[in-house]
Amino acid sequence: MELSYFAIIIGAIFVNNVVLAQFLGICPFLGVSSKVDTSLGMGAAVTFVMALTAVVAWSIQEFILVPLGIEYMQTIVFILVIAALVQMVEIVLKKVSPSLYQALGIFLPLITTNCAVLGVAILMIQKEFNLLQSFAYSVATAIGFALALVIFAGIRERLELEDVPAALKGIPVSLIVAAILAMAFMGFSGLV
């Protein structure tokens, strides 16, 4: 059964949100989500990398790995593709937006090890998506990642202004909010 593009997009953003339902990409989710503007920048960088990764990984899978019978190499090849794309994004951001480059700091190179990016590349192959479906799935997944990041950052910014008990200040209240946010997104599981 072939999924409609609407189902792929809604499913990737809300139902199977890569952070809040599949629990991939938790490191940048917790690390970069202290400010909304930084979260938006990270979300844009991850969206760009995931979109390019989808096209390149699908093409490599279909035109190189499968014809040569070396599909078992996909994880290593996809990691190399992601690393190269992240390096490209890092170089471009350093030239175009030095302030965003500084704000993202160590988390920009960590996109390379963000399991969400590799997970999307592998999942689109496992789900046997065509090129357009793979692109839609990866962009929608990245939008879902960015949405979770921005919502969480907004809540964290708001929590800084609130009177939180001393024992819960900082990371403890952030983890509680992340858990509640994940439960809220689990409510979307009946949609698709």
Side-chain angles (χ1 to χ4, degrees), residues 4 59 65 119 131 143 146 153 158 164 185:
S4 70
S59 299
L65 298 179
L131 180 58
I143 290 170
R158 175 72 184 184
V164 177
F185 266 71

Side-chain angles (χ1 to χ4, degrees), residues 45-57 85 117 134-135 138-139 142:
V46 168
T47 301
F48 183 73
V49 169
M50 274 195 195
L52 285 178
T53 298
V55 172
V56 174
L85 292 173
V117 179
S134 297
F135 183 77
S138 65
V139 170

Side-chain angles (χ1 to χ4, degrees), residues 159-175:
L159 281 172
E160 288 179 15
L161 304 174
E162 297 298 322
D163 187 28
V164 177
L168 295 178
K169 283 191 183 216
I171 298 296
V173 74
S174 295
L175 293 174

Side-chain angles (χ1 to χ4, degrees), residues 104-115:
L104 291 175
I106 188 67
F107 293 100
L108 189 56
L110 284 178
I111 294 174
T112 304
T113 59
N114 185 344
C115 56

Side-chain angles (χ1 to χ4, degrees), residues 113-136:
T113 59
N114 185 344
C115 56
V117 179
L118 180 60
V120 166
I122 292 172
L123 284 171
M124 69 181 195
I125 299 300
Q126 286 179 348
K127 293 177 185 228
E128 298 178 357
F129 286 156
N130 62 36
L131 180 58
L132 193 54
Q133 288 173 324
S134 297
F135 183 77

Side-chain angles (χ1 to χ4, degrees), residues 30-105:
L30 293 173
V32 182
S33 61
S34 59
K35 300 283 180 215
V36 171
D37 55 342
T38 307
S39 296
L40 284 169
M42 180 60 134
V46 168
T47 301
F48 183 73
V49 169
M50 274 195 195
L52 285 178
T53 298
V55 172
V56 174
W58 185 89
S59 299
I60 288 173
Q61 178 75 18
E62 291 298 314
F63 300 120
I64 298 173
L65 298 179
V66 171
L68 294 176
I70 54 172
E71 297 92 341
Y72 58 88
M73 295 289 292
Q74 80 177 184
T75 303
I76 294 169
V77 171
F78 291 175
I79 289 171
L80 293 174
V81 165
I82 292 165
L85 292 173
V86 169
Q87 286 299 312
M88 184 182 73
V89 168
E90 193 171 359
I91 291 167
V92 169
L93 268 182
K94 194 173 188 178
K95 290 287 184 190
V96 174
S97 179
S99 60
L100 180 59
Y101 175 78
Q102 289 291 356
L104 291 175

